[in-house]
Amino acid sequence: MTGAGAPGAAGIIKCLRKEKNIHLIAADAKDEVVGKYLADEFLVIPPASDSQFSDKLLSLCRERNVHVLLPLVTKELIPLADRMKEFELA
């Protein structure tokens, strides 16, 4: 899940915790966000405006065998959509 500091992040994490078979990785461009303390793992990623945003996130998804990417930041949607096929194959 990206946007671990977003206003709805804590509630979404709480809902996802009801599913026992989820290893939840939260990510955000800032280090001190609520999701850091609620997820199983936390990663700092570049902001969506950074030219390396999609490359870094794709690399992390591959490295950690991520099955579902849940972006919470509106500005991330276009860069991610532009590379959707690559994320589907990751």
Side-chain angles (χ1 to χ4, degrees), residues 4-5 9 12 16-17 21 23 30 32 35-36 38-40 44 52 57-58 64-65 69 72 77-78 87 90:
I12 292 169
L16 290 171
R17 286 283 178 223
N21 296 324
H23 176 80
K30 296 179 183 173
E32 288 300 319
K36 177 178 184 175
L38 300 175
D40 297 311
V44 175
Q52 295 299 308
L57 199 52
L58 184 57
R64 288 176 167 73
N65 196 29
L69 176 61
L72 299 187
L77 298 179
I78 298 298
F87 278 94

Side-chain angles (χ1 to χ4, degrees), residues 5-45:
I12 292 169
I13 291 171
K14 182 179 178 184
C15 290
L16 290 171
R17 286 283 178 223
K18 292 179 182 179
E19 177 59 48
K20 302 296 181 203
N21 296 324
I22 290 178
H23 176 80
L24 182 60
I25 303 170
D28 200 282
K30 296 179 183 173
D31 184 48
E32 288 300 319
V33 295
V34 67
K36 177 178 184 175
Y37 304 99
L38 300 175
D40 297 311
E41 191 174 345
F42 177 75
L43 305 168
V44 175
I45 58 172

Side-chain angles (χ1 to χ4, degrees), residues 51-67:
S51 63
Q52 295 299 308
F53 169 75
S54 294
D55 288 334
K56 179 66 175 173
L57 199 52
L58 184 57
S59 176
L60 290 169
C61 287
R62 287 178 175 147
E63 289 171 11
R64 288 176 167 73
N65 196 29
V66 171
H67 295 273

